[in-house]
Amino acid sequence: MDKLVIEGGRKLKGTVQISGAKNAALPILAATLLTQEKCVISNVPPLRDVQTMVKILRSLGVRVQMQDSRITVYPAKYKGYTAPYKLVSTMRASICVLGPLLAKQALVRVSLPGGCVIGPRPIDLHLKGLSALGAKIKIEHGYIVAQGKKMKGARIYLGGPFGSSVLATANVMMAATLTPGITIIENAACEPEVVDLANFLLKMGAKIHGQKTHTIEIEGVKKLHGAEHKIINDRIEAGTYMLACAITGGEISIKGASISHLGVLIDKLKGVGTTIRHSGDTIFVKATRRLRPVDITTLPFPGFPTDLQAQMMVLMCMAGGISVITEKVYPERFMHISELNRMGARVMKEGSSAIIEGVPKLSGAPVMASDLRASAALVLAGLAASGRTEISRVYHLDRGYKTMEEKLSRLGAKIWREKE
Ligand code: EPZ
């Protein structure tokens, strides 16, 4: 297993290029199962989760070619309809083959995903949406088994206790593209990754309206064809580097970032005193000497993204005062608190909130990554801390950030990978 070692205390300076969005690439790769024709997907980040999705496609009988950030999918004669436990258990996003397989094969078996370190992640909304389209769904031997011979468009309210669901919206939207009749998804997710998926489906010949809103309308078509698509860039990666800059007192340019995807983070960073400018697809960030405290509440898009909550907490640890985070998407997503406190942070969990008292300095320490975004937060804390930080279980980070240590090194950080 690898670990990351960081000698903290250096200001980030320079330019970083943002990669394609993992959370757009995964459902889009799954959507290729809706056609029999070749699809070419570019700007795909070469991450472990993407490799897992490719393994799932191959296990279904799909031919897949990978060349750098370009993936060519030939779904011509695939016959498979099972996503096995050994793959689904390593990546929950495997659930997004459910909708396409149901619509195309009229039969699907997907392993139930199992536990998750960021708290309970039920799939009831996925099943509710697909059942409303007429799928007959059973849970058998740890698998979701769904049969979709007589599916029909329907009006579906897809909100749960924490609002809309990104992948449930993706699953129902994909299934509805080949389901006869009109489907209306109410309380649909409108994250940029859902919009990117809809744009790919439109290129395949799907009929979709309202994909940037909370009401998506899909008219089923008989057949979808192959398409080429460039994945949008990763707003969470961009946000992570913006925060890394603010935390280290740096000044960087972030290329390939869309301000329309990052409105709330830009607002909060301005609120703590950071200077943000942009030109085209480049965002310039210049840190302030002393960060002011700030409060955030995570919410579905365009609210503050839960996937930046842990990284934002590190910034709050360095601010001059008390900040509060309220987590309204995953109320238990606070595994990073204890590790940050080992580095000298003062963070207290109170229900689904965290109260953060800023400290003058964090101090480097050996810490353990627990999930993808918590790992990114520990890297940020290591960059800001005095002395040496060693982050073990760094494979979590490799699921979502392309060569983070190389990108940070180019920005002047002292960070490297070692075998444990
Ligand atoms: C997506 O997961 C992302 N994953 C997550 O990114 C992200 O944290 C999350 O959306 C929220 O933005 C991918 O896109 C691959 P949800 P998803 O369904 O779709 C509840 C990362 O670090 N819910 O939008 O699985 C759920 O418990 C990851 O890259 C139900 O109640 O998340 C949560 O409270 C982690 N029933 C809320 O909805 C359901 O059936 C939103 O979750 C489904 C979800």
Side-chain angles (χ1 to χ4, degrees):
M1 260 195 276
D2 290 352
K3 67 177 176 188
L4 280 182
V5 185
I6 305 170
E7 295 282 355
R10 292 176 165 230
K11 293 181 177 184
L12 297 188
K13 285 222 167 356
T15 302
V16 62
Q17 172 66 49
I18 299 308
S19 303
K22 161 183 89 80
N23 289 349
L26 296 174
I28 285 175
L29 285 169
T32 63
L33 292 167
L34 289 163
T35 181
Q36 294 201 315
E37 296 175 16
K38 173 179 148 186
C39 295
V40 182
I41 317 295
S42 57
N43 200 32
V44 183
L47 300 169
R48 237 189 48 202
D49 278 7
V50 167
Q51 282 156 11
T52 305
M53 183 53 82
V54 167
K55 280 186 195 160
I56 292 178
L57 295 181
R58 286 183 174 147
S59 77
L60 293 165
V62 174
R63 190 154 71 85
V64 185
Q65 271 177 0
M66 296 171 81
Q67 197 186 23
D68 304 322
S69 62
R70 191 180 164 92
I71 296 190
T72 309
V73 184
Y74 301 90
K77 291 183 190 119
Y78 84 91
K79 294 260 185 311
Y81 57 86
T82 299
Y85 177 68
K86 75 172 193 304
L87 294 174
V88 178
S89 60
T90 64
M91 182 183 75
R92 292 186 62 88
S94 317
I95 190 82
C96 58
V97 298
L98 188 58
L101 284 174
L102 182 65
K104 192 74 181 51
Q105 309 287 62
L107 179 63
V108 51
R109 278 178 82 236
V110 177
S111 170
L112 282 162
C116 181
V117 73
I118 66 176
R121 293 182 71 185
I123 52 153
D124 57 311
L125 294 173
H126 300 246
L127 304 188
K128 176 185 169 186
L130 298 173
S131 302
L133 292 179
K136 301 277 171 273
I137 302 179
K138 293 184 287 193
I139 305 294
E140 260 179 15
H141 310 296
Y143 277 75
I144 307 157
V145 183
Q147 190 257 90
K149 286 218 171 82
K150 288 190 188 142
M151 307 242 293
K152 213 169 98 205
R155 177 177 280 271
I156 305 160
Y157 179 81
L158 213 53
F162 304 103
S164 54
S165 160
V166 173
L167 290 181
T169 302
N171 254 329
V172 175
M173 181 165 68
M174 288 189 280
T177 57
L178 290 179
T179 299
I182 307 270
T183 295
I184 295 172
I185 307 175
E186 291 176 337
N187 207 344
C190 61
E191 268 67 5
E193 296 76 18
V194 175
V195 178
D196 204 32
L197 169 65
N199 287 338
F200 175 58
L201 294 168
L202 286 167
K203 288 180 187 167
M204 296 173 86
K207 291 191 175 162
I208 302 174
H209 299 281
Q211 63 271 22
K212 270 192 182 168
T213 74
H214 291 299
T215 307
I216 302 181
E217 187 175 318
I218 306 117
E219 186 184 341
V221 295
K222 285 225 159 66
K223 200 176 157 199
L224 293 178
H225 50 76
E228 294 200 7
H229 187 73
K230 184 175 176 207
I231 301 286
I232 53 165
N233 280 349
D234 195 323
R235 65 192 167 106
I236 304 300
E237 190 194 19
T240 302
Y241 285 105
M242 289 168 79
L243 286 162
C245 175
I247 288 164
T248 59
E251 186 171 354
I252 68 171
S253 304
I254 300 167
K255 279 176 83 81
S258 167
I259 51 157
S260 64
H261 294 171
L262 288 158
V264 63
L265 179 66
I266 291 172
D267 182 58
K268 293 295 173 186
L269 280 175
K270 285 181 176 168
V272 300
T274 307
T275 306
I276 313 266
R277 288 183 299 110
H278 78 97
S279 166
D281 74 344
T282 302
I283 298 181
F284 307 95
V285 185
K286 187 172 178 211
T288 172
R289 281 229 179 114
R290 191 71 175 120
L291 294 158
R292 290 194 286 268
V294 66
D295 297 339
I296 62 154
T297 300
T298 65
L299 288 168
F301 189 82
F304 196 95
T306 175
D307 291 345
L308 284 173
Q309 179 258 109
Q311 303 89 311
M312 187 72 189
M313 184 181 285
V314 182
L315 179 140
M316 293 167 164
C317 289
M318 320 283 306
I322 306 255
S323 305
V324 178
I325 293 178
T326 305
E327 179 49 81
K328 288 215 169 167
V329 180
Y330 294 115
E332 299 299 322
R333 194 177 200 175
F334 285 120
M335 297 292 285
H336 38 286
I337 291 182
S338 48
E339 296 302 287
L340 291 176
N341 284 347
R342 296 189 59 253
M343 297 179 73
R346 283 198 206 126
V347 186
M348 203 178 73
K349 181 175 173 308
E350 182 66 53
S352 60
S353 294
I355 298 153
I356 302 115
E357 187 188 339
V359 292
K361 199 94 198 132
L362 294 175
S363 69
V367 288
M368 200 175 279
S370 57
D371 78 88
L372 167 55
R373 307 303 169 186
S375 317
L378 294 177
V379 171
L380 266 49
L383 295 174
S386 58
R388 187 178 174 109
T389 296
E390 294 193 3
I391 306 170
S392 50
R393 297 197 182 169
V394 71
Y395 54 86
H396 288 294
L397 193 73
D398 297 336
R399 291 185 47 203
Y401 291 88
K402 187 187 163 208
T403 54
M404 192 178 196
E405 70 274 19
E406 284 170 28
K407 289 188 180 182
L408 285 170
S409 296
R410 268 181 248 130
L411 291 171
K414 214 167 167 198
I415 175 170
W416 65 95
R417 192 176 281 251
E418 283 182 5
K419 290 265 171 251
E420 270 186 302

